[in-house]
């Protein structure tokens, strides 16, 4: 048996009452990687997950049409050649069932299953300063003690549903896309309402319209939807990825956003109009998120450049929709391409050309209330059998708010962040020793698995360093956190962002719009993190 695998299986689980080296919360892409890396370095570690299976986002979002918009191979792990030899993605942008199978394959193939505790909801975490451990409490009353608490709770894991009068009066089926039941929902011949036209909503529109008797889409904000261009991998492409596994990994690490795309170094107006239009066509006809990650370098910083590319995309959309008035409703008026995360579609706009599909603008005719049989707007009353909310998530902080996290002196994390998060590298928080995050605020700005990898490596190395040198706790200093947080805000200044983008906290009404995303790029984060580690974790107090 491969030593890499057998070593994990040989690890002894802590006895009841024993203090773990680390407790990881969340079994998504980030949590699984952190678990693997911590176990590989010999730490006693357990992962707890509120769901009944692993995969995080790809466990909960089972709605019809859910799939990657990043290249499948860029979304996977690269920590072992076993992954290259024994896993083949079937499509360039894999669907949810295949993605969930992948994470289960990883967990089982590398002997991680016995370190994972499912159906376990964390409700509180308290730092015991006398013993330098985190005491983590679960909804069932049980507790676990661990020297380090690693939160991999996800950036889009806490569903958001708008408050509507009478929402609970509806007698039909009502579901959020992020809580889709495993057994599915029968939509055949049903009258379906769909709220939301972000990434999930776009994917749902295309699928639901094929089954439903009628589909009514309630749109608050239109988005710049561009074609996904998905297709199956050929055997030759799969073999090419297998042979170049290490090179593909390095390519991902070298990209500013952690993708497998070639960055464009030229500026929009440095080239002729003919060359510019040629580039736009290439981007439009390319797959996935290349539409932005390979766009002209100033697309998200120069308003004129953004406007030029946006007008090109608008012309493509108008050419697809039969009704010009409908096109006016679907085309955004309040932001350019990339100022919100751009959804990827397959026949999205074409779907609205069908007679049984209707678009309702919530800005023109807001919802007055929900009724027992449907929805009443200022214009009319609708009757539905099924109402779907594809209304997104409370980015990053939503999941953390569900846990009562208290550091030194019993101070709550959300109180410490009342004026906005302050972190060092997105990894450490002053006043909260031995607490760290994977793919959390101030540390993620691109392809989640790529950032999760460097975060997980850094955390495992930190814990190894602390143990090896006989320290009991490590804590980010106020000065270091202030410096990093200032840097995070500086990186966001040149970026064009729409009001209400979940890149900030503005996606939830009443939130304050503070920056949560890191725009410095994967390379800049790695450089800063390496300097901190090389200097004996400068900016962190070790005791």
């Amino acid at each position: 048996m491969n030593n890499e695998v057998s070593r994990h299986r040989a690890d002894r689980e802590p006895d009841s009452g024993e203090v773990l080296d680390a407790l990881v919360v969340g079994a998504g892409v980030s949590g699984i990687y952190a678990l693997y890396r911590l176990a590989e370095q010999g730490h006693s570690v357990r992962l707890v997950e509120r769901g009944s299976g692993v995969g995080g986002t790809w466990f909960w979002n089972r709605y019809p049409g859910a799939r990657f918009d990043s290249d499948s191979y860029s979304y996977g792990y690269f920590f072992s050649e076993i992954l290259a030899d024994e896993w083949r993605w079937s499509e360039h942008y894999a669907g949810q069932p295949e993605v969930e199978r992948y994470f289960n394959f990883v967990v089982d193939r590398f002997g991680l299953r016995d370190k994972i505790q499912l159906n376990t909801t964390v409700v509180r975490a308290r730092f015991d300063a006398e013993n330098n451990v985190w005491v983590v409490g679960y909804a069932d009353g049980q507790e676990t003690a661990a020297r380090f608490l690693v939160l991999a709770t996800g950036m889009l894991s806490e569903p958001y549903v708008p408050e509507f009068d009478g929402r609970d009066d509806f007698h039909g089926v009502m579901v959020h896309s992020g809580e889709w039941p495993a057994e599915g929902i029968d939509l055949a011949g049903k009258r379906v309402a769909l709220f939301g036209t972000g990434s999930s909503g776009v994917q749902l529109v295309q699928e639901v319209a094929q089954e439903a008797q009628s589909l009514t889409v309630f749109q608050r904000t239109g988005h710049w939807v561009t074609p996904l261009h998905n297709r199956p991998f050929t055997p030759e492409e799969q073999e090419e990825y297998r042979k170049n596994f290490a090179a593909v990994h390095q390519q991902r690490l070298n990209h500013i956003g952690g993708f497998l795309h070639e960055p464009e170094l030229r500026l929009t107006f440095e080239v002729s109009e003919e060359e510019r239009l040629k580039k736009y066509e290439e981007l439009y006809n390319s797959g996935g998120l290349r539409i932005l990650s390979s766009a002209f370098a100033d697309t998200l910083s120069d308003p004129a450049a953004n406007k030029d590319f946006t007008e090109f995309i608008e012309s493509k959309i108008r050419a697809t929709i039969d009704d010009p008035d409908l096109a006016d409703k679907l085309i955004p008026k309040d932001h350019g391409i990339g100022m919100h995360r751009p959804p990827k579609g397959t026949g999205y706009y074409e779907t609205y050309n069908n007679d049984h599909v209707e678009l309702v603008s919530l800005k023109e005719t807001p919802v007055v209330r929900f009724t027992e049989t449907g929805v009443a707007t200022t214009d009319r009353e609708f009757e539905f059998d099924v109402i779907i909310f594809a209304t997104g998530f409370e980015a990053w902080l939503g999941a953390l708010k569900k846990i009562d996290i208290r550091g030194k002196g019993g101070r709550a994390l959300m109180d410490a962040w009342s004026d906005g998060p302050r972190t060092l590298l997105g990894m450490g928080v002053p006043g909260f020793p031995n607490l760290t995050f994977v793919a959390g605020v101030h540390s993620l700005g691109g392809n989640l698995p790529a950032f999760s990898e460097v975060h997980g490596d850094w955390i495992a190395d930190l814990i190894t360093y602390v143990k090896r040198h006989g320290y009991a706790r490590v804590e980010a200093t106020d000065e270091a956190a202030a410096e990093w947080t200032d840097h995070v805000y500086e990186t966001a200044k040149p970026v064009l962002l729409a009001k209400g983008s979940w890149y900030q906290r503005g996606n939830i009404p009443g939130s304050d719009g503070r920056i949560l995303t890191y725009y410095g790029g994967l390379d800049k984060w790695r450089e800063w993190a390496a300097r901190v580690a090389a200097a004996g974790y400068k900016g962190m107090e070790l005791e």
Side-chain angles (χ1 to χ4, degrees):
M1 180 181 293
N2 183 285
N3 288 336
E4 184 175 11
V5 178
S6 62
R7 180 168 64 252
H8 293 301
R9 290 179 175 163
D11 283 344
R12 180 175 63 86
E13 283 299 301
D15 298 328
S16 177
E18 184 178 351
V19 176
L20 294 163
D21 288 329
L23 181 71
V24 180
V25 181
V29 58
S30 303
I32 292 172
Y33 185 84
L35 175 64
Y36 171 84
R37 192 57 80 198
L38 286 163
E40 182 198 41
Q41 293 196 13
H43 302 298
S44 61
V45 57
R46 181 183 304 149
L47 183 152
V48 293
E49 161 61 41
R50 68 184 173 95
S52 60
V54 302
T57 289
W58 302 104
F59 172 82
W60 294 104
N61 288 263
R62 301 170 178 271
Y63 61 84
R67 67 174 55 252
F68 285 156
D69 56 13
S70 299
D71 308 76
S72 294
Y73 279 97
S74 78
Y75 204 91
Y77 300 121
F78 287 89
F79 56 73
S80 170
E81 289 287 342
I82 291 172
L83 296 164
D85 294 335
E86 298 185 11
W87 183 266
R88 299 284 190 278
W89 290 107
S90 67
E91 297 178 289
H92 280 258
Y93 305 96
Q96 182 274 332
E98 183 175 11
V99 180
E100 187 181 358
R101 287 196 302 272
Y102 173 76
F103 289 116
N104 278 281
F105 161 75
V106 171
V107 164
D108 291 329
R109 185 65 179 86
F110 294 92
L112 301 176
R113 184 74 63 179
D114 61 354
K115 300 181 184 302
I116 298 174
Q117 185 174 315
L118 300 173
N119 300 303
T120 303
T121 301
V122 175
V123 294
R124 63 188 176 276
R126 173 181 58 84
F127 184 69
D128 178 348
E130 182 177 348
N131 297 299
N132 291 313
V133 298
W134 280 92
V135 180
V136 180
Y138 309 129
D140 64 2
Q142 299 297 308
E143 291 184 337
T144 296
R147 294 182 65 191
F148 282 84
L149 179 58
V150 181
L151 296 178
T153 48
M155 61 176 178
L156 299 174
S157 57
E158 187 58 36
Y160 167 70
V161 178
E163 291 292 337
F164 290 113
D165 286 343
R167 193 178 67 193
D168 295 336
D169 294 342
F170 180 62
H171 287 178
V173 175
M174 192 159 55
V175 64
H176 189 282
S177 58
E179 296 175 328
W180 203 268
E183 65 273 16
I185 297 174
D186 181 14
L187 301 174
K190 301 294 175 61
R191 299 164 299 176
V192 179
L194 173 63
F195 284 82
T197 53
S199 293
S200 298
V202 166
Q203 292 179 334
L204 273 159
V205 163
Q206 302 155 179
E207 298 295 325
V208 173
Q210 297 180 38
E211 295 187 56
Q213 173 187 316
S214 64
L215 171 61
T216 304
V217 181
F218 291 87
Q219 173 185 275
R220 182 189 67 175
T221 303
H223 290 277
W224 299 104
V225 183
T226 54
L228 178 64
H229 295 303
N230 189 30
R231 63 177 176 83
F233 274 111
T234 65
E236 293 76 19
E237 287 173 325
Q238 290 173 330
E239 178 60 17
E240 190 70 16
Y241 273 107
R242 189 195 68 79
K243 289 192 304 184
N244 295 296
F245 188 69
V248 170
H249 181 209
Q250 196 59 49
Q251 182 182 355
R252 188 177 80 168
L253 284 175
N254 290 342
H255 189 277
I256 187 172
F259 294 105
L260 301 181
H261 307 158
E262 290 298 327
E264 173 61 75
L265 302 179
R266 296 175 298 172
L267 301 180
T268 301
F269 299 111
E270 284 182 346
V271 302
S272 66
E273 181 179 6
E274 180 182 2
E275 185 65 23
R276 200 160 59 245
L277 291 174
K278 179 183 177 183
K279 175 69 175 181
Y280 290 165
E281 286 286 352
E282 290 174 357
L283 291 170
Y284 189 80
N285 292 309
S286 64
L289 296 175
R290 286 179 179 82
I291 193 82
L292 285 183
S293 63
S294 295
F296 286 112
D298 56 351
T299 300
L300 290 181
S301 58
D302 179 0
N306 187 272
K307 183 174 183 289
D308 196 65
F309 191 27
T310 298
E311 288 176 347
F312 171 84
I313 299 298
E314 178 177 346
S315 69
K316 292 290 189 181
I317 295 171
R318 289 192 180 278
T320 306
I321 302 169
D322 295 341
D323 182 351
D325 292 334
L326 177 59
D328 284 339
K329 289 184 178 181
L330 284 164
I331 290 170
K333 305 295 191 299
D334 58 352
H335 69 279
I337 188 166
M339 297 186 196
H340 281 281
R341 192 178 194 278
K344 306 301 296 185
T346 302
Y348 174 69
Y349 291 115
E350 291 88 338
T351 300
Y352 289 97
N353 293 328
N354 293 297
D355 292 338
H356 72 297
V357 178
E358 180 179 2
L359 181 74
V360 175
S361 170
L362 291 174
K363 292 181 177 177
E364 295 177 4
T365 57
V367 170
V368 175
R369 64 172 288 111
F370 278 41
T371 68
E372 292 183 358
T373 57
V375 174
T377 70
T378 55
D379 178 56
R380 55 191 268 215
E381 290 194 13
F382 298 83
E383 292 189 351
F384 298 116
D385 303 301
V386 179
I387 296 177
I388 302 170
F389 292 107
T391 45
F393 304 84
E394 185 175 0
W396 276 294
L397 301 184
L400 296 178
K401 288 178 180 177
K402 293 287 187 178
I403 306 172
D404 183 13
I405 303 169
R406 295 186 178 269
K408 292 193 306 187
R411 191 181 192 194
L413 179 64
M414 288 301 120
D415 288 343
W417 283 357
S418 60
D419 292 327
R422 292 189 311 118
T423 75
L424 171 59
L425 294 167
M427 301 284 103
V429 181
F432 293 81
N434 296 8
L435 173 66
T436 190
F437 306 82
V438 191
V441 298
H442 292 180
S443 65
L444 177 63
N447 186 22
L448 177 65
F451 282 82
S452 298
E453 175 188 332
V454 296
H455 297 165
D457 290 348
W458 196 87
I459 290 167
D461 290 345
L462 170 65
I463 295 175
T464 296
Y465 182 91
V466 168
K467 287 176 61 179
R468 182 177 298 154
H469 289 81
Y471 295 115
R473 68 164 73 176
V474 58
E475 177 187 349
T477 66
D478 286 312
E479 295 77 14
E483 183 182 5
W484 175 257
T485 302
D486 287 345
H487 169 65
V488 169
Y489 275 75
E490 283 298 317
T491 66
K493 281 183 178 179
V495 182
L496 299 172
L497 292 174
K499 182 180 180 182
S501 169
W502 62 258
Y503 297 148
Q504 307 175 63
R505 287 176 65 184
N507 64 317
I508 304 300
S511 60
D512 53 27
R514 290 187 174 91
I515 299 296
L516 302 181
T517 302
Y518 177 56
Y519 290 95
L522 183 61
D523 52 346
K524 185 64 69 176
W525 190 93
R526 292 172 66 200
E527 289 173 11
W528 198 304
R531 287 199 303 271
V532 170
Y537 294 94
K538 182 181 179 182
M540 308 188 86
E541 293 180 349
L542 292 142
E543 299 179 9

